Amino acid sequence: MKSKIAFVLCLLTMVGGGVLAQAPAASQEEFIKTHYAKFEYRIPMRDGVKLFVSVYTPQAGAFKDAGPYPFLMTRTPYSCGPYGEDKMPTRLGASQELLESGYIFVCGDARGRYESEGVFQEMSPHIDDKKSNRDVDESTDTYDTVEFLLKHVENNNGRVGITGISYPGFYTSASIIDSHPAIKAASPQAPMTNLFFNDDGYHGGAFMLSANYGFYILLSHRKLLCCLRSGLRTT
């Protein structure tokens, strides 16, 4: 793992950010609508699989600092909804301070989850010796995603921070092995690391039946949950 990666989220100083022209008077949801624009991309990976990301960029004139802005990315198996460029989330970013500081927020559906193509593999292992473009892992998926964003998202400053809690924390940790040089900071918080030791798979070697049942039912019904959230009927 590259030693340059910082495991403390010091993004305000390391990566940079804007300053609010004035404090928001409305709710966080309204603030997001008036300060950010949303874009969606399906990014081709080196093996041809396309992964989905939502990108929220500061609107022109919304912040005193006109940019360019750094990226702050999260990769998750739990959905980057709501989907559709006209649908904005009620929350964005890890904190209100970051939201009000001016970042390009990125949420990526992990491989095989929700709007991303491919096959989902839980806590997919890193491939040390990659022999072809078919040898992909979380590190390569993040690398290809970052490379695409740098080229296609306007007004970025070429710097990327990654953060995540629990399972997204695993993706943060796994993403920074052999990482893209644009990644300047990473904060894996309480990451999934070892299912056999206090990561809710096994506790002290004992299989956690109830926790695993609920968790895997959720993961295995991805398409059904997507349809239900969209108000669609399934057969």
Side-chain angles (χ1 to χ4, degrees), residues 33 38-40 82-89:
K33 291 179 180 178
K38 181 181 181 183
F39 302 91
E40 295 182 344
Y83 298 101
E85 291 187 345
D86 60 333
K87 294 179 174 60
M88 301 295 281

Side-chain angles (χ1 to χ4, degrees), residues 89-105:
T90 57
R91 293 187 58 190
L92 188 60
S95 71
Q96 185 70 19
E97 182 180 13
L98 291 175
L99 176 67
E100 296 178 359
S101 296
Y103 285 85
I104 300 173
F105 290 97

Side-chain angles (χ1 to χ4, degrees), residues 14-101:
M14 294 179 60
V15 187
V19 179
L20 266 178
Q22 58 182 11
S27 66
Q28 186 175 95
E29 182 177 6
E30 187 63 28
F31 180 83
I32 294 170
K33 291 179 180 178
T34 56
H35 288 74
Y36 288 89
K38 181 181 181 183
F39 302 91
E40 295 182 344
Y41 301 96
R42 285 171 170 80
I43 302 176
M45 301 292 104
R46 62 191 64 186
D47 64 342
V49 169
K50 293 181 179 180
L51 302 188
F52 176 89
V53 297
S54 294
V55 179
Y56 300 87
T57 62
Q59 295 183 20
F63 298 89
K64 184 178 295 184
D65 184 348
Y69 302 103
F71 292 100
L72 186 54
M73 180 164 61
T74 297
R75 302 183 63 235
T76 179
Y78 297 135
S79 172
C80 286
Y83 298 101
E85 291 187 345
D86 60 333
K87 294 179 174 60
M88 301 295 281
T90 57
R91 293 187 58 190
L92 188 60
S95 71
Q96 185 70 19
E97 182 180 13
L98 291 175
L99 176 67
E100 296 178 359
S101 296

